[in-house]
Amino acid sequence: MILPRWLTEARGLRADLIALVAGALAALALPPLHVLPVLLVAFPILLMRINAAARAIVAARRGWWFGFGYHLIGLYWITEAVLFEAARFWWLVPLAVPALAAVLAVFIAVPAWIAWFAAGGQSQTGQRQTGQSQTGQSQTGQRQTGQRQAPPRAAQVMVLAGGWVLGDLARQFVATGFPWNPLGSIWAVPGRFGDVMLQPAALISVHGLTLATVVLACAPVLCWRGRAVCLGIIVAWIGYGAVRMAAPPPPDQPLRVVLVQGNVPQGQKWDPALRDGVFEKYLRLTDEGAREAGSDPHLTVWPETASPYLLDANARAAIAGSGHGGPVLVGAVRFDEEDRPRNTLTAVTATGEVSGLYDKWHLVPFGEYQPGWAQVGIQLVPGGGFARGPGPETLRIPGVPPVGPLICYEAIFPGQVIDEADRPAWMVNVTNDAWFGTSAGPRQHLAAARLRAVEEGLPLMRAANTGITVSFDSRGHEITRIGMEQTGYRTVTLPGPLPRTVFARFGLFLPGTLALVFLGVGVVASQRRGPD
């Protein structure tokens, strides 16, 4: 791939800005745009910027700027949530997204730093130092004019891909984790194409898809043998996905699920003057959906914190009456024995009793609680926020196949969504994406939930307050949907689960090991001389 000289020879701030724009360009491949071809431009530019760097720290800086642009565009929608509290946190409006993007960019700067060495940067530095008395000045001049820029090699691409995935795995855990927008999520394209392209996630998760995506995105700068390997990867990828999608689906489970979307704007959600109307809306939608389900065993799902009331006996009795003999999973706030609030999914039976509770355990930093490491003298979350639940659980509700609940943010964590020791037969994801309006945020969140269905081989039912409410089968194929800002319900027969997937058996160990192998082989191979 031949790039313009102004791209390959730029230095200093100009080179940093080029990396920034390339990262922002790469973000266009993310949901909901899915402009996949931009990666074939963005990643070659990143590699050229790494290889043109005179020192490893400069290469890391170029990687940081690329990551900053990627996350700045990919996470712009977070500003929508801050604006709901603009009266208190107006000063955060211009800072929240850039600050978060700056932190997440570090996880791309590190692989860029390692990739510089894989390009022969260390040996080139040594040559300059040993030959400084005779040729040092000329070599430095060549470096400055771009003449010594090493062409990207397959080994370097392997190092970049392996390091990128290890960075994504790290950001799933560091500081409670924020693995939003992994590059592999670009394949969650709505429709049949996305169904096919997501299937390898059942083997290697979204992290494995990210690994392959980085390699494919670098194909334009590889020699013909490297491009042939990339062609083989994409053919095998599509072939595996098509075969898996063509296999007969497992039999449906004996349950009808009613997904309810109340479409309550965030600004009205907790208004005392409106809460009676909100509660009555959910009761009415539950009644209509349960009637549609008829005499079949059925269960209704309300979104995250849908109930504006605490679920006392009176509230539960009203909910039970609207369910027409079927249990209702209700998103609501409850207070524990220590009077701490918990973001909870409560199973209310046909008699108004509580048959199960699930407390959200992956809380949103600075949204639902203020981490101990971030006590900076400013209380961003009043009262310390929500108390944390114990972790993934399986709810066993009478007459209902065992279910693994996910509340909102929890759906973005691959390998951490169900209790593998007590494996459920399906998953339910309740969320309130009203905080983010009609931005890209809810659509990116939906893509994450879809990937969890593929990874675990379990159907996933999703109820969202203002959208998007969706049901997925155990291969991530969409069955039914309620779009953004629509009020309604959908009644769907619960699809069957697939046998435990390879990823469900081995978890994050598998993509982590694969990334380490790529990194290690790339480092060793980079010591060899000669073209790829």
Side-chain angles (χ1 to χ4, degrees), residues 69 73 88 91 94 105 175 204 254 259 263 277 327 334 356 391 422 511:
I73 300 302
R88 293 175 56 211
W91 51 276
I204 52 178
L259 301 173
N263 190 30
R334 74 178 183 93
D422 184 17

Side-chain angles (χ1 to χ4, degrees), residues 52-405:
R55 293 174 295 152
I57 190 64
V58 177
R61 192 178 79 206
R62 301 282 156 72
W64 184 89
W65 279 109
F66 184 95
F68 183 71
Y70 177 79
H71 290 296
L72 188 70
I73 300 302
L75 298 172
Y76 79 91
W77 47 268
I78 291 177
T79 303
E80 297 264 358
V82 180
L83 288 173
F84 276 107
E85 298 286 346
R88 293 175 56 211
F89 300 120
W90 56 268
W91 51 276
L92 270 177
V93 172
L95 298 177
V97 176
L100 181 58
V103 173
L104 295 177
V106 174
F107 296 94
I108 296 177
V110 173
W113 178 76
I114 301 172
W116 183 84
F117 288 98
Q122 190 175 28
S123 63
Q124 289 179 8
T125 301
Q127 291 171 5
R128 288 197 303 273
Q129 291 174 346
T130 57
Q132 184 175 4
S133 60
Q134 295 180 0
T135 62
Q137 292 181 352
S138 62
Q139 289 186 357
T140 300
Q142 290 171 345
R143 168 74 78 169
Q144 290 175 349
T145 59
Q147 295 175 16
R148 284 189 52 82
Q149 180 174 318
R153 306 169 66 228
Q156 185 187 21
V157 171
M158 293 181 70
V159 168
L160 181 65
W164 189 294
V165 171
L166 291 174
D168 275 0
L169 285 166
R171 67 185 178 99
Q172 184 166 337
F173 296 95
V174 172
T176 73
F178 188 69
W180 198 281
N181 280 345
L183 194 62
S185 67
I186 68 170
W187 303 104
V189 180
R192 179 71 178 179
F193 177 76
D195 288 345
V196 169
M197 299 307 292
L198 291 183
Q199 295 315 300
L203 303 174
I204 52 178
S205 85
V206 68
H207 294 304
L209 299 189
T210 295
L211 186 79
T213 301
V214 173
V215 172
L216 293 175
C218 296
V221 295
L222 296 176
C223 69
W224 69 268
R225 282 179 294 182
R227 294 178 187 178
V229 170
C230 289
L231 179 61
I233 290 173
I234 198 69
V235 169
W237 186 336
I238 294 173
Y240 175 81
V243 169
R244 195 166 190 266
M245 287 302 300
D252 291 337
Q253 303 183 69
L255 183 71
R256 298 274 280 167
V257 179
V258 180
L259 301 173
V260 175
Q261 181 167 301
N263 190 30
V264 180
Q266 188 61 34
Q268 300 177 13
K269 198 169 188 307
W270 302 110
D271 188 333
L274 301 175
R275 60 185 178 181
D276 285 350
V278 171
F279 195 65
E280 289 296 330
K281 176 187 284 189
Y282 276 105
L283 293 178
R284 174 178 56 82
L285 292 170
T286 301
D287 176 79
E288 294 173 2
R291 288 181 185 276
E292 183 176 293
S295 59
D296 294 336
H298 60 273
L299 171 142
T300 303
V301 183
W302 289 18
E304 177 189 19
T305 62
S307 175
Y309 297 114
L310 298 177
L311 296 184
D312 58 16
N314 291 331
R316 295 199 307 271
I319 293 168
S322 68
H324 290 277
V328 182
L329 283 175
V330 182
V333 174
R334 74 178 183 93
F335 287 84
D336 61 20
E337 296 79 5
E338 299 178 356
D339 206 32
R340 288 287 306 280
R342 290 178 180 265
N343 190 344
T344 301
L345 191 61
T346 303
V348 178
T349 68
T351 60
E353 302 299 319
V354 174
S355 64
L357 288 171
Y358 172 78
D359 295 324
K360 185 177 182 180
W361 70 280
H362 239 139
L363 301 175
V364 181
F366 306 107
E368 293 175 308
Y369 82 109
Q370 189 160 338
W373 49 265
Q375 302 298 330
V376 291
I378 303 174
Q379 191 177 61
L380 298 174
V381 184
F386 289 88
R388 181 177 179 270
E393 297 181 40
T394 298
L395 287 183
R396 296 187 175 272
I397 306 165
V400 174
V403 56

Side-chain angles (χ1 to χ4, degrees), residues 368-461:
E368 293 175 308
Y369 82 109
Q370 189 160 338
W373 49 265
Q375 302 298 330
V376 291
I378 303 174
Q379 191 177 61
L380 298 174
V381 184
F386 289 88
R388 181 177 179 270
E393 297 181 40
T394 298
L395 287 183
R396 296 187 175 272
I397 306 165
V400 174
V403 56
L406 300 169
I407 298 179
C408 190
Y409 181 68
E410 293 177 327
I412 73 170
F413 290 85
Q416 296 179 274
V417 293
I418 65 170
D419 181 1
E420 290 290 353
D422 184 17
R423 186 170 171 83
W426 60 295
M427 296 182 288
V428 63
N429 175 216
V430 298
T431 187
N432 175 30
D433 289 346
W435 285 101
F436 311 114
T438 58
S439 68
R443 294 164 174 87
Q444 293 171 0
H445 197 192
L446 177 67
R450 184 181 178 189
L451 275 156
R452 302 298 84 81
V454 179
E455 290 167 350
E456 299 294 339
L458 296 174
L460 184 144
M461 306 288 110

